Amino acid sequence: MKKNALHNLTKRLTFVFFIALSFTISAQETPEKTQKSEFWSKVQFGGGLGLGFGSGFTNIAVSPTAIYNINSYVSLGTGVQYSFLKQKGFYSSNIYGASFIALFNPIEEIQLSTELEQLRVNRSFEGLLSGSDNFWNTGLFVGAGYRMDNVTIGARYNLFFKTDNGVYGDAFMPFVRVFF
């Protein structure tokens, strides 16, 4: 009887030992798991954040962007944006949408860009011009900038600019682009 009990105890301890060993082995990290995948090593994140406050004036803008570096010359990406603007007693708007961007770096210091942007504009007027207006606005931008590491300073031009669309005051816009 003692021999049978000892045999059963040995079987159980062996089973527990192998179960514990398998957990230990599966808990070990392999070098492949600790490194980023090739895809994510080519992705960069950036965007913009804008805050403006004044006497009866508020402007808040958020626009995160992600790009994928195909090679050292070409990157493609997408972004979303939201903007809230209010002038007390006169005007308020909510603008939101998405964009697609292509970046081309013919040399390390120069960055050329094209960006297609689709925005939904919801605005309302108070006072003498009271009322509301809701519409879609499409922008196609071409730009050029000087690049230093992950920062680009330049200007872009909206090829679809219309003076009566109320989204942008001018077709020509300076920019600072940062990606990490």
Side-chain angles (χ1 to χ4, degrees), residues 14-178:
T14 304
F15 177 74
V16 169
F17 174 75
F18 282 113
I19 293 295
L21 183 62
S22 70
F23 284 131
T24 304
I25 291 172
S26 67
Q28 299 298 316
E29 290 190 34
T30 61
E32 294 84 27
K33 288 186 179 182
T34 58
Q35 295 176 353
K36 284 184 176 180
S37 72
E38 186 177 335
F39 174 82
W40 288 108
S41 67
K42 294 182 176 186
V43 174
Q44 289 183 282
F45 296 97
L49 177 63
L51 299 171
F53 300 100
S55 178
F57 176 80
T58 304
N59 184 8
I60 302 169
V62 179
S63 58
T65 304
I67 61 169
Y68 178 79
N69 298 305
I70 295 171
N71 55 40
S72 61
Y73 300 105
V74 178
S75 302
L76 298 174
T78 186
V80 295
Q81 70 180 62
Y82 173 76
S83 176
F84 171 76
L85 178 65
K86 182 166 179 75
Q87 177 68 47
K88 188 176 180 180
F90 176 64
Y91 175 84
S92 69
S93 72
N94 285 290
I95 302 172
Y96 53 92
S99 64
F100 297 98
I101 189 167
L103 304 174
F104 178 64
N105 303 300
I107 60 173
E108 191 174 337
E109 294 82 14
I110 301 296
Q111 185 176 83
L112 305 174
S113 63
T114 59
E115 185 173 3
L116 180 64
E117 175 183 83
Q118 183 68 48
L119 299 176
R120 178 66 177 171
V121 180
N122 300 319
R123 60 185 182 177
S124 61
F125 299 93
E126 301 171 20
L128 294 175
L129 299 173
S130 66
S132 65
D133 193 12
N134 301 311
F135 60 94
W136 287 98
N137 184 72
T138 303
L140 179 60
F141 299 91
V142 293
Y146 178 73
R147 191 173 96 163
M148 300 162 286
D149 294 324
N150 61 339
V151 178
T152 305
I153 299 171
R156 64 185 193 162
Y157 183 82
N158 186 352
L159 298 174
F160 292 170
F161 178 75
K162 297 176 188 169
T163 56
D164 61 346
N165 72 7
V167 176
Y168 299 112
D170 196 349
F172 179 75
M173 290 176 266
F175 68 82
V176 175
R177 194 177 285 138
V178 180

